[in-house]
Amino acid sequence: MNKELKQVISEIKKEEIPVELKISNRPDLCDYQYDGIFGLAKEMHKNPYELGIEIVNKLEENPTCKEKFSKIECVRPGFINFTLKDSYINELLSKMITEEKYNISMPKQETIVIDYGGANIAKPLHVGHLRPAIVGESIKRILKYMGQNVISDVHLGDYGLQMGQVIYGLQQENISPKEITLEKLATLYPKISGLCKEDETIKGICENITKELQDGKQEYQEYFKEILNISKQDIKKMYDYLGVHFDLWLGESDAYKYIPELTEELKKQNLIETSEGAKVIHVTSETDSLEIPPLIYQKSNGGYLYGTTDLATIYQREIDYKPNKIFYIADKRQNLHFTQVFRVAKKLEKTKEIDCEFLGNGTINGKDGKPFKTRAGDTPKLENLFNEIKDIFLKDELHNENYTEEDLDKIVNSVIKFADLQNSREKEYIFDIEKFSKTTGKTGPYILYTYVRTKKIIKNNEQYIDKLSKTIYNVHDRELRMKLLGLEEALNMAFKTRMSSGLANFLYEICVLVNAFYENNHINNLEDNKKKTDWVTLLDLTTRIIKDLLDLLVIEIPSKM
Ligand code: ARG
């Protein structure tokens, strides 16, 4: 839309400058606005309004502008307002209808490994694990949609101290690997980790078991395999329920075989130093305002740490996939850890070309602003949370259907995910189950309800889906069409910022407009065939877009609402 404007401004300024046309926040006045005149006028020592007039005059002579815009005007003190021709809006929409992926421009393709989920083996899953899974899955889908070559990895936490603790607990109770159950694991971990906090000796024993496990001790490996197997099944079940899928089910333990090679490389580059018996890697840079402590590569007892496995995993990913980028989604409190790891990776010859990005997320809080708890006051097991949402949703007076379990699960998913993804991922947000389970307001059920209702109209009038004419009939009609034209920007923005929240909000705005459209424009009894064709065709495009956006937000559509 801004090609001509850029051309005219470059001519006047006699140099190329970036020009951005913004979607107007006053759709009653114009469709797009340019607000860059002030800066430009200052640089050129001109009066903004006069400069604006000069630009508008040139634009008005431009033949392409004549085709696109019905009005271009400069308003005081120096904005340029653009109004599109209805026929041009429809031309763009027609391309969205016929071309693949709505004719949106795609960024250049890269190979990106995305690391999210990050559940820990042998520790029970809870609400805190929802966010990195949902946010990560959504970002993965956005990357794929935008044509990227994506490899997703759950990167299980499976080789840390919790393993030593659980194995210690199992041995204390004389439980053999074959006798391990999920319930046992769920009670053992909190018990032993509590003991370790009180008793240094037990902690030492657990650390030692962890170290010997990492070194490959047969007895512990047998426990490890069983624990991994049982715990993984449980984690898979939860991710499946949430529609979260990974290409790779690797974990910290899989990085171990790369440590010897990695250590060689680090030594060759003189990056490892000894400090109080431990092996560390310094990562400070002159420009740091806060001091970044060194990454601890190997403890004095010979054990390796979280940072070591993450570094070895980058090394492994370089060997297996040669990625351009690696994205990590985890709690934002891990920022320092990732800063240290990425800095070492940038120093290492083998991995220095990879751009690693940490996409930290905030916590999910309850109405009291503290980490989310159930009505009973405990940190909810996920299953209980899902059931609670079902109950609350079914009490909403607006729904009146008998849902299948499958539909209810989809609705529960929509409640959780739309609550989450409409917020910027790095912020904490308050998960108010009552509010987010409603069919009205900015909620998952509202979006699903809009989709299902619109789809019903289309189904009843399927024979009218055809081409768009040049006409737009009223303001509700125009606003919906203009909103759909914003899809390209919304998707590109989501891609650039690695954020789903812009898309969630864009989807919500579409739904508000489609509901206004529906309430003001009655299609079913319409006798004007041309209008009917235009409207049904427009709604068909709208529902296709809603469906794709829902998919990017990891929300599935139930058979009824
Ligand atoms: N397991 C980790 C945790 O629960 C999250 C893993 C994040 N990914 C990574 N490559 N470190 O804190």
Side-chain angles (χ1 to χ4, degrees), residues 115-121 123 128-129 132 153-158 162 252 306-307 309-311 313-314 317 326-331 334 337-338 341-342 358:
D115 175 320
Y116 64 101
N120 295 319
I121 292 294
K123 292 192 199 176
H129 295 100
D153 183 6
V154 64
H155 199 77
L156 296 170
D158 63 359
Q162 89 270 24
E252 293 164 356
Y306 189 39
T309 45
D310 260 328
L311 203 55
T313 305
I314 297 179
R317 287 172 180 161
I326 307 178
F327 292 170
Y328 296 80
I329 292 95
D331 191 308
Q334 295 194 21
H337 161 77
F338 284 108
V341 171
F342 296 171
F358 175 51

Short mmCIF file of all heavy atoms in Angstrom, two decimals, residues 115-121 123 128-129 132 153-158 162 252 306-307 309-311 313-314 317 326-331 334 337-338 341-342 358, ligand 1:
data_model
loop_
_atom_site.label_atom_id
_atom_site.label_comp_id
_atom_site.label_asym_id
_atom_site.label_seq_id
_atom_site.Cartn_x
_atom_site.Cartn_y
_atom_site.Cartn_z
N ASP A 115 12.49 -25.06 20.86
CA ASP A 115 12.64 -25.85 22.07
C ASP A 115 11.62 -25.33 23.07
O ASP A 115 11.69 -24.19 23.50
CB ASP A 115 14.09 -25.64 22.54
CG ASP A 115 14.46 -26.27 23.87
OD1 ASP A 115 13.63 -26.24 24.80
OD2 ASP A 115 15.59 -26.76 23.99
N TYR A 116 10.61 -26.12 23.37
CA TYR A 116 9.55 -25.66 24.28
C TYR A 116 8.93 -26.85 25.00
O TYR A 116 9.27 -27.99 24.70
CB TYR A 116 8.49 -24.85 23.53
CG TYR A 116 7.70 -25.61 22.50
CD1 TYR A 116 6.41 -26.06 22.78
CD2 TYR A 116 8.23 -25.88 21.25
CE1 TYR A 116 5.67 -26.76 21.83
CE2 TYR A 116 7.50 -26.58 20.30
CZ TYR A 116 6.23 -27.02 20.60
OH TYR A 116 5.51 -27.71 19.67
N GLY A 117 8.02 -26.57 25.90
CA GLY A 117 7.46 -27.68 26.68
C GLY A 117 8.34 -27.88 27.91
O GLY A 117 8.03 -27.42 29.00
N GLY A 118 9.47 -28.53 27.69
CA GLY A 118 10.50 -28.65 28.72
C GLY A 118 10.03 -29.30 30.02
O GLY A 118 10.52 -28.96 31.09
N ALA A 119 9.08 -30.23 29.94
CA ALA A 119 8.60 -30.88 31.16
C ALA A 119 9.74 -31.64 31.83
O ALA A 119 10.71 -32.03 31.18
CB ALA A 119 7.47 -31.85 30.82
N ASN A 120 9.64 -31.82 33.11
CA ASN A 120 10.67 -32.54 33.86
C ASN A 120 10.20 -33.93 34.21
O ASN A 120 9.13 -34.11 34.79
CB ASN A 120 11.01 -31.76 35.13
CG ASN A 120 11.64 -30.42 34.80
OD1 ASN A 120 12.47 -30.34 33.90
ND2 ASN A 120 11.23 -29.39 35.50
N ILE A 121 11.03 -34.89 33.86
CA ILE A 121 10.74 -36.30 34.17
C ILE A 121 10.68 -36.48 35.69
O ILE A 121 11.47 -35.87 36.41
CB ILE A 121 11.85 -37.18 33.57
CG1 ILE A 121 11.77 -37.16 32.05
CG2 ILE A 121 11.81 -38.59 34.09
CD1 ILE A 121 10.54 -37.78 31.47
N LYS A 123 8.76 -35.43 37.89
CA LYS A 123 8.10 -34.42 38.71
C LYS A 123 6.67 -34.29 38.19
O LYS A 123 6.46 -34.29 36.97
CB LYS A 123 8.77 -33.06 38.55
CG LYS A 123 10.17 -32.96 39.12
CD LYS A 123 10.56 -31.48 39.14
CE LYS A 123 12.06 -31.31 39.24
NZ LYS A 123 12.45 -29.90 39.16
N GLY A 128 1.88 -24.58 35.96
CA GLY A 128 3.09 -23.88 35.50
C GLY A 128 3.63 -24.42 34.19
O GLY A 128 4.33 -23.71 33.47
N HIS A 129 3.29 -25.67 33.87
CA HIS A 129 3.80 -26.25 32.63
C HIS A 129 2.95 -25.92 31.42
O HIS A 129 3.32 -26.22 30.29
CB HIS A 129 3.90 -27.77 32.75
CG HIS A 129 4.89 -28.20 33.78
ND1 HIS A 129 4.54 -28.59 35.04
CD2 HIS A 129 6.24 -28.25 33.74
CE1 HIS A 129 5.62 -28.89 35.73
NE2 HIS A 129 6.67 -28.68 34.97
N PRO A 132 4.59 -22.57 28.76
CA PRO A 132 5.62 -22.81 27.74
C PRO A 132 5.16 -23.79 26.67
O PRO A 132 5.61 -23.73 25.53
CB PRO A 132 6.81 -23.36 28.52
CG PRO A 132 6.37 -23.55 29.91
CD PRO A 132 5.07 -22.85 30.12
N ASP A 153 11.37 -29.57 19.50
CA ASP A 153 11.97 -30.51 20.46
C ASP A 153 11.47 -30.20 21.87
O ASP A 153 11.51 -29.06 22.31
CB ASP A 153 13.50 -30.37 20.40
CG ASP A 153 14.22 -31.37 21.31
OD1 ASP A 153 13.54 -32.25 21.89
OD2 ASP A 153 15.45 -31.28 21.42
N VAL A 154 11.00 -31.22 22.56
CA VAL A 154 10.43 -31.02 23.90
C VAL A 154 11.51 -30.77 24.97
O VAL A 154 11.26 -30.17 26.00
CB VAL A 154 9.54 -32.23 24.29
CG1 VAL A 154 10.37 -33.49 24.39
CG2 VAL A 154 8.79 -31.98 25.58
N HIS A 155 12.72 -31.18 24.69
CA HIS A 155 13.84 -31.02 25.61
C HIS A 155 13.46 -31.30 27.06
O HIS A 155 13.44 -30.41 27.92
CB HIS A 155 14.50 -29.64 25.49
CG HIS A 155 15.89 -29.63 26.07
ND1 HIS A 155 16.96 -30.16 25.42
CD2 HIS A 155 16.35 -29.20 27.27
CE1 HIS A 155 18.03 -30.04 26.17
NE2 HIS A 155 17.70 -29.48 27.31
N LEU A 156 13.17 -32.56 27.32
CA LEU A 156 12.78 -32.98 28.67
C LEU A 156 13.90 -32.74 29.68
O LEU A 156 15.07 -32.94 29.36
CB LEU A 156 12.45 -34.47 28.67
CG LEU A 156 11.27 -34.91 27.82
CD1 LEU A 156 11.22 -36.44 27.74
CD2 LEU A 156 9.96 -34.38 28.42
N GLY A 157 13.51 -32.33 30.87
CA GLY A 157 14.48 -32.26 31.96
C GLY A 157 14.57 -33.65 32.57
O GLY A 157 13.71 -34.03 33.35
N ASP A 158 15.58 -34.42 32.15
CA ASP A 158 15.59 -35.82 32.58
C ASP A 158 16.90 -36.27 33.20
O ASP A 158 17.09 -37.47 33.43
CB ASP A 158 15.23 -36.73 31.39
CG ASP A 158 16.25 -36.63 30.28
OD1 ASP A 158 17.22 -35.85 30.42
OD2 ASP A 158 16.10 -37.32 29.25
N GLN A 162 16.77 -34.22 40.29
CA GLN A 162 15.53 -34.94 40.64
C GLN A 162 15.66 -36.43 40.37
O GLN A 162 15.03 -37.25 41.02
CB GLN A 162 14.31 -34.33 39.93
CG GLN A 162 13.95 -34.87 38.57
CD GLN A 162 14.65 -34.10 37.45
OE1 GLN A 162 15.69 -33.49 37.65
NE2 GLN A 162 14.08 -34.13 36.25
N GLU A 252 17.72 -33.78 28.19
CA GLU A 252 19.08 -33.49 28.65
C GLU A 252 19.99 -34.71 28.50
O GLU A 252 21.14 -34.59 28.09
CB GLU A 252 19.04 -33.07 30.12
CG GLU A 252 18.34 -31.75 30.34
CD GLU A 252 17.94 -31.50 31.80
OE1 GLU A 252 18.13 -32.41 32.65
OE2 GLU A 252 17.43 -30.41 32.09
N TYR A 306 22.82 -28.01 34.18
CA TYR A 306 21.81 -27.55 33.22
C TYR A 306 22.45 -26.79 32.04
O TYR A 306 22.10 -27.03 30.88
CB TYR A 306 20.84 -26.64 33.99
CG TYR A 306 19.59 -26.22 33.28
CD1 TYR A 306 18.88 -27.08 32.45
CD2 TYR A 306 19.09 -24.92 33.48
CE1 TYR A 306 17.71 -26.65 31.83
CE2 TYR A 306 17.92 -24.50 32.87
CZ TYR A 306 17.23 -25.37 32.04
OH TYR A 306 16.09 -24.94 31.44
N GLY A 307 23.38 -25.91 32.35
CA GLY A 307 24.04 -25.12 31.30
C GLY A 307 24.86 -26.00 30.37
O GLY A 307 24.92 -25.77 29.15
N THR A 309 24.33 -29.20 29.60
CA THR A 309 23.49 -29.98 28.67
C THR A 309 22.89 -29.07 27.61
O THR A 309 22.74 -29.46 26.46
CB THR A 309 22.36 -30.74 29.39
OG1 THR A 309 21.74 -29.88 30.34
CG2 THR A 309 22.89 -31.97 30.07
N ASP A 310 22.54 -27.83 28.00
CA ASP A 310 21.99 -26.95 26.98
C ASP A 310 23.05 -26.61 25.91
O ASP A 310 22.73 -26.54 24.72
CB ASP A 310 21.42 -25.67 27.61
CG ASP A 310 19.91 -25.76 27.75
OD1 ASP A 310 19.27 -26.41 26.88
OD2 ASP A 310 19.34 -25.19 28.69
N LEU A 311 24.28 -26.43 26.36
CA LEU A 311 25.35 -26.15 25.41
C LEU A 311 25.59 -27.36 24.50
O LEU A 311 25.69 -27.22 23.28
CB LEU A 311 26.62 -25.82 26.21
CG LEU A 311 27.67 -25.00 25.51
CD1 LEU A 311 27.09 -23.69 25.00
CD2 LEU A 311 28.82 -24.71 26.48
N THR A 313 23.49 -29.54 23.75
CA THR A 313 22.33 -29.70 22.87
C THR A 313 22.44 -28.77 21.66
O THR A 313 22.06 -29.16 20.55
CB THR A 313 21.03 -29.43 23.65
OG1 THR A 313 21.00 -30.28 24.80
CG2 THR A 313 19.81 -29.72 22.80
N ILE A 314 22.96 -27.58 21.86
CA ILE A 314 23.16 -26.69 20.71
C ILE A 314 24.16 -27.34 19.74
O ILE A 314 23.97 -27.35 18.53
CB ILE A 314 23.67 -25.30 21.16
CG1 ILE A 314 22.62 -24.62 22.06
CG2 ILE A 314 24.00 -24.42 19.95
CD1 ILE A 314 23.03 -23.25 22.57
N ARG A 317 22.45 -30.06 17.90
CA ARG A 317 21.52 -29.54 16.89
C ARG A 317 22.27 -29.02 15.67
O ARG A 317 21.79 -29.15 14.53
CB ARG A 317 20.66 -28.41 17.50
CG ARG A 317 19.62 -28.98 18.46
CD ARG A 317 18.88 -27.92 19.24
NE ARG A 317 17.91 -28.55 20.14
CZ ARG A 317 17.37 -27.98 21.20
NH1 ARG A 317 17.69 -26.73 21.52
NH2 ARG A 317 16.50 -28.62 21.95
N ILE A 326 17.79 -20.97 16.82
CA ILE A 326 17.14 -21.84 17.81
C ILE A 326 16.33 -20.93 18.74
O ILE A 326 16.85 -19.93 19.24
CB ILE A 326 18.13 -22.66 18.65
CG1 ILE A 326 19.09 -23.45 17.75
CG2 ILE A 326 17.38 -23.62 19.57
CD1 ILE A 326 20.15 -24.25 18.53
N PHE A 327 15.07 -21.25 18.89
CA PHE A 327 14.21 -20.50 19.83
C PHE A 327 13.96 -21.35 21.06
O PHE A 327 13.72 -22.56 20.95
CB PHE A 327 12.85 -20.20 19.19
CG PHE A 327 12.89 -19.26 18.04
CD1 PHE A 327 11.77 -19.07 17.24
CD2 PHE A 327 14.03 -18.51 17.75
CE1 PHE A 327 11.79 -18.19 16.16
CE2 PHE A 327 14.06 -17.63 16.69
CZ PHE A 327 12.93 -17.48 15.90
N TYR A 328 13.96 -20.71 22.22
CA TYR A 328 13.68 -21.39 23.48
C TYR A 328 12.51 -20.72 24.15
O TYR A 328 12.52 -19.50 24.36
CB TYR A 328 14.87 -21.30 24.43
CG TYR A 328 16.11 -22.00 23.94
CD1 TYR A 328 16.95 -21.39 23.00
CD2 TYR A 328 16.44 -23.26 24.41
CE1 TYR A 328 18.09 -22.04 22.56
CE2 TYR A 328 17.60 -23.91 23.97
CZ TYR A 328 18.41 -23.29 23.04
OH TYR A 328 19.53 -23.94 22.60
N ILE A 329 11.51 -21.50 24.51
CA ILE A 329 10.39 -20.95 25.27
C ILE A 329 10.40 -21.58 26.66
O ILE A 329 10.26 -22.80 26.79
CB ILE A 329 9.03 -21.20 24.57
CG1 ILE A 329 8.95 -20.39 23.28
CG2 ILE A 329 7.87 -20.75 25.45
CD1 ILE A 329 9.35 -21.13 22.08
N ALA A 330 10.57 -20.75 27.67
CA ALA A 330 10.58 -21.23 29.05
C ALA A 330 10.28 -20.03 29.95
O ALA A 330 10.23 -18.88 29.48
CB ALA A 330 11.92 -21.85 29.41
N ASP A 331 10.09 -20.31 31.21
CA ASP A 331 9.83 -19.27 32.19
C ASP A 331 10.89 -18.16 32.09
O ASP A 331 12.08 -18.43 32.03
CB ASP A 331 9.88 -19.92 33.59
CG ASP A 331 9.37 -18.98 34.65
OD1 ASP A 331 9.85 -17.84 34.72
OD2 ASP A 331 8.49 -19.41 35.43
N GLN A 334 14.43 -17.76 33.68
CA GLN A 334 15.63 -18.47 33.23
C GLN A 334 16.50 -17.63 32.30
O GLN A 334 17.42 -18.13 31.66
CB GLN A 334 15.23 -19.77 32.53
CG GLN A 334 14.55 -20.74 33.47
CD GLN A 334 14.44 -22.15 32.90
OE1 GLN A 334 15.17 -22.53 32.00
NE2 GLN A 334 13.51 -22.91 33.43
N HIS A 337 20.36 -17.83 32.73
CA HIS A 337 20.87 -19.12 32.26
C HIS A 337 21.06 -19.10 30.73
O HIS A 337 22.11 -19.46 30.21
CB HIS A 337 19.89 -20.23 32.66
CG HIS A 337 20.04 -21.49 31.87
ND1 HIS A 337 21.05 -22.39 32.09
CD2 HIS A 337 19.32 -21.98 30.83
CE1 HIS A 337 20.93 -23.39 31.23
NE2 HIS A 337 19.90 -23.17 30.45
N PHE A 338 20.03 -18.64 30.03
CA PHE A 338 20.12 -18.65 28.56
C PHE A 338 21.15 -17.63 28.05
O PHE A 338 21.84 -17.89 27.07
CB PHE A 338 18.75 -18.46 27.93
CG PHE A 338 17.91 -19.71 27.99
CD1 PHE A 338 16.83 -19.80 28.86
CD2 PHE A 338 18.23 -20.81 27.22
CE1 PHE A 338 16.08 -20.97 28.94
CE2 PHE A 338 17.49 -21.99 27.30
CZ PHE A 338 16.40 -22.06 28.15
N VAL A 341 24.46 -19.41 28.34
CA VAL A 341 24.61 -20.49 27.36
C VAL A 341 24.81 -19.92 25.95
O VAL A 341 25.72 -20.33 25.21
CB VAL A 341 23.37 -21.42 27.38
CG1 VAL A 341 23.42 -22.41 26.22
CG2 VAL A 341 23.28 -22.16 28.71
N PHE A 342 24.00 -18.92 25.59
CA PHE A 342 24.08 -18.36 24.23
C PHE A 342 25.44 -17.69 24.00
O PHE A 342 26.00 -17.74 22.92
CB PHE A 342 22.98 -17.33 23.98
CG PHE A 342 21.57 -17.90 24.03
CD1 PHE A 342 20.47 -17.05 24.01
CD2 PHE A 342 21.35 -19.26 24.10
CE1 PHE A 342 19.17 -17.55 24.05
CE2 PHE A 342 20.06 -19.78 24.15
CZ PHE A 342 18.97 -18.91 24.13
N PHE A 358 15.96 -16.35 23.29
CA PHE A 358 15.17 -16.82 24.43
C PHE A 358 13.84 -16.06 24.45
O PHE A 358 13.81 -14.84 24.54
CB PHE A 358 15.93 -16.59 25.74
CG PHE A 358 15.12 -16.94 26.95
CD1 PHE A 358 14.48 -18.17 27.04
CD2 PHE A 358 14.98 -16.05 28.00
CE1 PHE A 358 13.72 -18.51 28.15
CE2 PHE A 358 14.22 -16.38 29.12
CZ PHE A 358 13.59 -17.60 29.19
N1 ARG B 1 13.10 -28.36 32.08
C1 ARG B 1 13.27 -26.95 32.22
C2 ARG B 1 12.48 -26.43 33.41
O1 ARG B 1 11.50 -27.01 33.83
C3 ARG B 1 12.84 -26.19 30.99
C4 ARG B 1 13.62 -26.53 29.74
C5 ARG B 1 13.77 -25.37 28.81
N2 ARG B 1 14.58 -25.66 27.65
C6 ARG B 1 15.90 -25.74 27.69
N3 ARG B 1 16.55 -26.06 26.60
N4 ARG B 1 16.60 -25.45 28.75
O2 ARG B 1 12.84 -25.42 33.95
#
